[in-house]
Amino acid sequence: MLTQIYNGHVLTPKGWLNDASVVFNNDKIVEINNSGELIPQAKQINAQGLHVVPGGIDLHVHGGGGADFMEGTTEAFQTAVQAHLKHGTTAIFPTLSSATLPIIESSANACTQLMADPLTPIMGLHLEGPYFNPRRAGAQMPGSIRMPDPEEYQYLVGAYRCIKRWDAAPELPGAAKFGRYISHHGVIAGIAHTEAEYEDIRNAYESGFSHVTHFYNAMPGFHNVREYKHAGTVEAVYLMENMTVEIIADGIHVPAPIIQLVYRTKGLERTALITDALAVAASDSTQAYDPRVIIEDGVCKLADRSALAGSIATMDRLIRTAVKLAGIPLDDACRMVSETPARITGIYDRKGTLQVGKDADIMIFDDDINLSAVFAMGQEIPLD
């Protein structure tokens, strides 16, 4: 069906267009203009001067709507995905925390089944672990953390093409071999839950690690070892110019001044905003999937308050935080949830910007980042 969103403040790769239209036929954008002309045969949607921007792409999200991707069922996947669609996430990388092999397999099977639908918003599976430094476990399940196992990761990468991201602590024995292997097979190697210092990060970068998971969380910054000062993971990542990062932009995991620092230093081209949302996000639930987790002060924490444990953020909240708390221009904040993650994950040819030929993934919101409409592959998502 031909649809025309008109009278919008439309974000294009060349900047904003006022009084503009985005026209899409079924799931693809076919025209963007500010001629003011209405197409008689198209379904008309008046944007009423609101912001029309690309749909959000969440690189790191554990669940939503009361469902967790670790449940390993298509029903859980669909529940979580639908919950986040209502908040502007039109492309999603379901994320598993450190898990046993059977849990990874069941979730990968569910993901593979759903990705067979060409209209799915699921872009691939993200494995956050289990090859982590136990001293930086955070809210990861300690019993599932283990050393890199070539037999395990080679099997999983070969058996499940849905795996698109995989994180590890690069200082662990065998991590360099892991990074080289998965990156060679088209899987993004990410750094996470680590005590890596400068040499570790430099070696990791040379071994295929190109991305940093929830930057500033579960990793050291500048510190002393006895009387000597050391650059931590954070400083080392800044010095790896082409290494990309993601930040949990809920204003709590990473405070607003640090969001501003990352934006200024890494730039919007290398900084993606993520939710790292747990099952309680986009739901009325107050009980997390993990019984160790509580919800307090707008964030998930371990019950003993020893660590943050994920967020309850949604895509619209990421943009609000970036703009209203961190002072990032609206167009740049929108690009950090759409264009940048699309480039990082290699889906920029079809997603991430409003351009002719790309998927009709669209958010419409007002100056307070209140959503009025979401379209995923040209289908309007009910927001109530």
Side-chain angles (χ1 to χ4, degrees), residues 86-307:
K86 294 176 183 292
H87 291 271
T89 296
T90 56
I92 193 167
F93 287 81
T95 302
L96 307 183
S97 296
S98 295
T100 63
L101 180 58
I103 289 176
I104 295 172
E105 288 177 315
S106 62
S107 295
N109 283 323
C111 189
T112 299
Q113 182 177 338
L114 292 172
M115 287 180 69
D117 180 356
L119 298 181
T120 183
I122 298 174
M123 297 292 102
L125 195 63
H126 170 207
L127 302 184
E128 188 187 3
Y131 309 140
F132 286 153
N133 191 318
R135 291 190 295 273
R136 290 283 177 169
Q140 298 281 321
M141 295 294 287
S144 295
I145 292 175
R146 50 195 182 271
M147 294 298 106
D149 180 346
E151 183 176 345
E152 180 179 62
Y153 64 70
Q154 289 176 21
Y155 156 67
L156 285 169
V157 168
Y160 297 104
R161 300 294 298 274
C162 67
I163 297 173
K164 301 300 183 184
R165 294 188 52 188
W166 199 336
D167 305 331
E171 71 274 20
L172 298 180
K177 183 178 179 181
F178 164 80
R180 284 191 293 268
Y181 184 86
I182 69 167
S183 60
H184 178 72
H185 286 80
V187 178
I188 298 167
I191 293 169
H193 293 270
T194 176
E195 290 203 333
E197 298 192 350
Y198 176 77
E199 291 298 330
D200 300 312
I201 297 299
R202 187 179 67 178
N203 292 338
Y205 184 64
E206 293 172 353
S207 300
F209 285 86
S210 61
H211 186 68
V212 183
T213 296
H214 50 46
F215 192 38
Y216 275 91
N217 286 273
M219 62 188 63
F222 176 79
H223 60 282
N224 276 33
V225 178
R226 295 189 59 177
E227 70 271 35
Y228 297 106
K229 297 174 176 62
H230 285 239
T233 302
V234 169
E235 293 78 23
V237 168
Y238 278 129
L239 291 171
M240 301 299 115
E241 183 178 354
N242 292 322
M243 189 169 276
T244 57
V245 302
E246 63 185 40
I247 50 178
I248 307 169
D250 62 356
I252 300 171
H253 279 81
V254 182
I258 299 299
I259 296 175
Q260 179 68 234
L261 175 64
V262 177
Y263 165 72
R264 290 188 184 186
T265 307
K266 274 292 182 182
L268 67 90
E269 296 87 356
R270 295 184 178 89
T271 306
L273 308 183
I274 61 161
T275 64
D276 196 6
L278 301 189
V280 292
S283 79
D284 296 326
S285 175
T286 57
Q287 178 59 53
Y289 174 73
D290 185 338
R292 302 172 304 151
V293 171
I294 62 171
I295 295 90
E296 184 178 74
D297 303 327
V299 72
C300 298
K301 307 175 182 179
L302 291 181
D304 64 2
R305 296 173 179 81
S306 61

